[in-house]
Amino acid sequence: MGLPPEFHDIAKRVNNWGRWGAEDEIGTLNLITDEVVKGAAAEVRSGRRIPLALDLQDNGVQTGMIPGRVNPMHTMVMLNFEMFGPGTVATSDDAVTMGLQCATHWDALTHVSHSGKIYNGRPADSITAHGGSAYSGIEKARHVVSRGVLLDVAAAKGLDRLPGDHAVTPEDLAEAEEFGKVKVRAGDVVLVRTGQMQLYLQSDKHGYATPSPGLSIRTPEWFHARDVAAVANDTMVFEIFPPEIENLWLGVHGLHLVEMGMMQGQNWNLEELSTACAQEQRYAFLLSAMPEPFVGGTGTPVAPVAIL
Amino acid sequence: MGLPPEFHDIAKRVNNWGRWGAEDEIGTLNLITDEVVKGAAAEVRSGRRIPLALDLQDNGVQTGMIPGRVNPMHTMVMLNFEMFGPGTVATSDDAVTMGLQCATHWDALTHVSHSGKIYNGRPADSITAHGGSAYSGIEKARHVVSRGVLLDVAAAKGLDRLPGDHAVTPEDLAEAEEFGKVKVRAGDVVLVRTGQMQLYLQSDKHGYATPSPGLSIRTPEWFHARDVAAVANDTMVFEIFPPEIENLWLGVHGLHLVEMGMMQGQNWNLEELSTACAQEQRYAFLLSAMPEPFVGGTGTPVAPVAIL
Amino acid sequence: MGLPPEFHDIAKRVNNWGRWGAEDEIGTLNLITDEVVKGAAAEVRSGRRIPLALDLQDNGVQTGMIPGRVNPMHTMVMLNFEMFGPGTVATSDDAVTMGLQCATHWDALTHVSHSGKIYNGRPADSITAHGGSAYSGIEKARHVVSRGVLLDVAAAKGLDRLPGDHAVTPEDLAEAEEFGKVKVRAGDVVLVRTGQMQLYLQSDKHGYATPSPGLSIRTPEWFHARDVAAVANDTMVFEIFPPEIENLWLGVHGLHLVEMGMMQGQNWNLEELSTACAQEQRYAFLLSAMPEPFVGGTGTPVAPVAIL
Amino acid sequence: MGLPPEFHDIAKRVNNWGRWGAEDEIGTLNLITDEVVKGAAAEVRSGRRIPLALDLQDNGVQTGMIPGRVNPMHTMVMLNFEMFGPGTVATSDDAVTMGLQCATHWDALTHVSHSGKIYNGRPADSITAHGGSAYSGIEKARHVVSRGVLLDVAAAKGLDRLPGDHAVTPEDLAEAEEFGKVKVRAGDVVLVRTGQMQLYLQSDKHGYATPSPGLSIRTPEWFHARDVAAVANDTMVFEIFPPEIENLWLGVHGLHLVEMGMMQGQNWNLEELSTACAQEQRYAFLLSAMPEPFVGGTGTPVAPVAIL
């Protein structure tokens, strides 16, 4: 069935293959220069820190809908174990099994492919079961610290959360910029809040998953025009789901990850940040969102923090 | 056999139980105030970012010496899977099983107990197999961003790395302060470099593990006097191993985690940071080292970043 | 709250501690002598083999009701990997993470304790997080082959399956013996069919789990009188659930595993066997149900087979 | 580089594609008829049971040589947990992560492919990361009970174990038949003992792995001529390793699994069985070796038992 012409048209306009050389594996992260980071640090005014990760637990956001994407299973391998003899200092150790995309996470550029290709035109089959991503694995994304900007689309519209069938458009993003008195610029990491996370926080896991508001297929061009470094939001699928265009599944994924080489984040909890930004009347901050460097990983859990 | 009198003597002097109230679960992290963070952000001069995590891979630092502490096993659960039909955007998903203390990590305050107690005098058996840590689980440590200070003990002595039997003393720490023209102050996260990590990076995993330089039982008082918020280093066991005092195993763990309520980090890669600090002639920076919030976790992998 | 007097009364009557010596770790498996097995092999008439295990898959019987007891997560670690060069024989390897009690399984004698004790009067805290069961781990149960007897309680009553609130009584077991023209004898492994498994097979996982028919607290004495070696059935909890006596949770587990030292099996699929026994008009057969020898395991998946 | 002509010549002679129809997924297991099983049960004389699985433990046979094939990691998810209140029956539950081929195991027919094909001419890419084997997954092999025959090649030669460079030939197998006064016949499961397992049992894990005696590329024709149903032995790689013919890696795997559709077993502990057969002077018995039915699995741990 393939991908519709709309997809290929946009793809041509946002494509970044070769922009940072044929050897490049990190795409738009190249836009985060030391200068950008210096400027980002200058945004820190109060020193207030807002963590953006959901708790990692077996009662996480996964519902079993996506096969193999399991919530973290936490187990103990030692429990107050006096390894060195009775009465000595005792240790407790734990282990976990989890899907790398199960909770608050970054998609690596290799998380999706289309037409047999991944970012920078490499073959999709360079991803293998025995090594994961040979190129653009998540361990290559080593410096994810930049200016963060919250585009609080729900708050800009005076809503707690967007309806499940709302595709976030470029116009919505511009409206949120205005609401936050902030301008997105090159190297920024943009956080788009829909408010959908409230459903999970209220224990409605199935309602959280779908139907869900999310980014429209028209937004990649907006991010491309502004040279955004990465984007994250507070939904399971990132883009509106089910999709706005029939038979165009995961189109935004295909444009961001494959064409632009721009990482996406999902299941980020932006509720506390929304409150803090409203209180401080500032929507830009220093953001640290370092991937766990799983070699060959097509994604990773992340514990981002906004420093206001 | 129990713990020797030396241990109990120091324990009395560094104990923080009740200092932040009977309900407190985070100990010295309380010392990282918004003011401290504001000051830390002001340390950013160049915008240069140095990641401090080792790659997560099956060929990690674990050698099998510590039972159950397994290196990350990375597996694929989808591989260019066209979930929505032929020719559509295809997804790759992965999963991992790993020990939470296997790689670059934070110990939660519950990672060790002694005399049946954990931090703040709570019973050690509040840690269980079905829920992990009921108190002071790693998910409680939600704001680990502060000023970081590198005490480059090896470089201060003009060595590539300290010998395997070198216990890092308070005098060594003071010498490294002088070398770095930096003063440790309240709320800092102190990174102590021994150079031991070079052995792992040169593929000598067994040599890296033991014998290993590490902190002396005399250092907790030094950190306590300065109200340090957390400490990390570049070794497997953190403290000198085998121990400097016969039959005093994991004494520094017992003092830091149980008595002081101060988190420890291990297996941090401080090599690139050592070079960068020497180049920039600055040993203080903004450090972000957010735990992955595993509910009840007695530790967590962490991907710290120093922002110079 | 403790255990009610009824429990302790029965416990005294069925207790086997010391019966096979103070060192014994396998309890009623001692009753399976070579003579018993020889007799069991003589039951084979047609050579027909009926497997009794459910498929191991992520869509297994677990619903998340029991924390940590996860369905099998199957992942690939190699996929047609030409390890020795292009055009050579390619290998595919897989890995699994699963709860040992998640599917068709045996409970080891250590799966439950009461009053601080496990089978043969050993302390419950001999089970640890770093080694599992020091005594009576599932790897000790090395010879589980014997005569199997199907007591088809549902069929004996002319029912497809017993109602969810039906506690299987000694009278029901005797009725099923008569129905099957078979007498339970020393060393037998008894399979009790309720028909409850049909709910799972019809995709009603929650209905399968609870409410569920299962064995009454009165049945352990019946098995004890006949010197049965082990018992299994086709339900999640084995005993009637919720329990027949208020506040007597897992009483049958306590009597079988702790007092008698008799292994229990759960989630066995007895549907095909029920049909086969009815067709052949024989309810005794050779049963092989070897535990996977997980060292220290408190349970194990098992792939039993009835050979008619 | 491809496979040498020798391989393709033998492949033509032993190929079973289509023999049991185009839809067949189980290959030579079709040769185990009810009649064969009836005859196998008649081999039981003493009722003695010999288990053939190695203990499942983190100190298992894997050395890290084969990436991703991890020894079982056993963890606790509940430990004497009084789920229903203080003083009630307490439960202990465990979980495991393991490679399906890490210990005593069966290879499914899909464990290897060559020239893009698996058994019965199906495409190798019918094995996927999200579902494993679409055809011939290990869950299809549901009735693995038959006559077992021990060909004790080492004992027939008067050796404790074969040298590491010994390729077991058809002549060796015939010699072992004579030694055991037994004739291999249609539907048998043949166990070939080299004695190599002694190295692992003596804690020489690396010596066990390689160099290792194992089956010669000439043996598949011998098994084919006798219509053997399945074969297992007491080595890591099954076939001689390193291989006897330069650049013919895993040739026996390719012939057995892909061409003949015959399952192989590896890491079977045949030491106790060797002793028992010598004592009883009988080398045929009833063998039960039921796969754990992992859906789509390319292999499975197995706990086989020989019943003499």
Side-chain angles (χ1 to χ4, degrees), chain B residues 54-78:
Chain B
L54 295 172
D55 275 353
L56 293 166
Q57 54 179 324
D58 66 0
N59 191 19
V61 294
Q62 299 303 317
T63 60
M65 183 179 76
I66 307 176
R69 197 177 280 189
V70 291
N71 286 317
M73 179 178 67
H74 177 252
T75 61
M76 297 306 295
V77 294
M78 289 191 218

Side-chain angles (χ1 to χ4, degrees), chain D residues 77-138:
Chain D
V77 294
M78 290 191 217
L79 202 49
N80 293 310
F81 178 37
E82 296 175 336
M83 205 187 300
F84 298 106
T88 58
V89 172
T91 58
S92 296
D93 256 36
D94 22 25
V96 75
T97 295
M98 64 188 290
L100 293 185
Q101 294 84 4
C102 77
T104 303
H105 69 275
W106 280 122
D107 287 343
L109 301 188
T110 52
H111 175 53
V112 307
S113 62
H114 77 81
S115 316
K117 299 289 185 188
I118 55 168
Y119 169 67
N120 227 0
R122 294 192 173 96
D125 63 10
S126 61
I127 314 170
T128 62
H130 58 276
S133 318
Y135 305 99
S136 296
I138 197 65

Side-chain angles (χ1 to χ4, degrees), chain D residues 205-290:
Chain D
K205 291 165 68 155
H206 289 274
Y208 170 66
T210 176
S212 173
L215 297 198
S216 161
I217 193 79
R218 293 171 49 218
T219 48
E221 286 187 85
W222 194 88
F223 296 125
H224 185 65
R226 281 150 189 79
D227 267 345
V228 163
V231 186
N233 79 358
D234 54 352
T235 73
M236 176 74 91
V237 186
F238 189 77
E239 51 197 280
I240 180 166
F241 195 85
E244 61 203 305
I245 298 177
E246 212 185 319
N247 286 330
L248 181 42
W249 301 91
L250 302 180
V252 176
H253 279 71
L255 295 168
H256 282 174
L257 300 171
V258 179
E259 300 293 331
M260 296 168 63
M262 182 173 76
M263 277 167 44
Q264 291 181 171
Q266 282 138 273
N267 298 321
W268 292 37
N269 183 356
L270 304 176
E271 295 306 297
E272 185 182 347
L273 181 62
S274 171
T275 304
C277 288
Q279 287 168 343
E280 305 215 0
Q281 280 299 300
R282 292 190 294 126
Y283 287 81
F285 36 82
L286 178 62
L287 179 80
S288 175
M290 293 287 288

Side-chain angles (χ1 to χ4, degrees), chain C residues 272-294:
Chain C
E272 185 181 347
L273 182 61
S274 170
T275 303
C277 287
Q279 287 169 342
E280 305 216 0
Q281 280 299 303
R282 291 187 296 123
Y283 285 82
F285 36 80
L286 178 61
L287 180 80
S288 176
M290 293 286 288
E292 296 290 335
F294 288 100

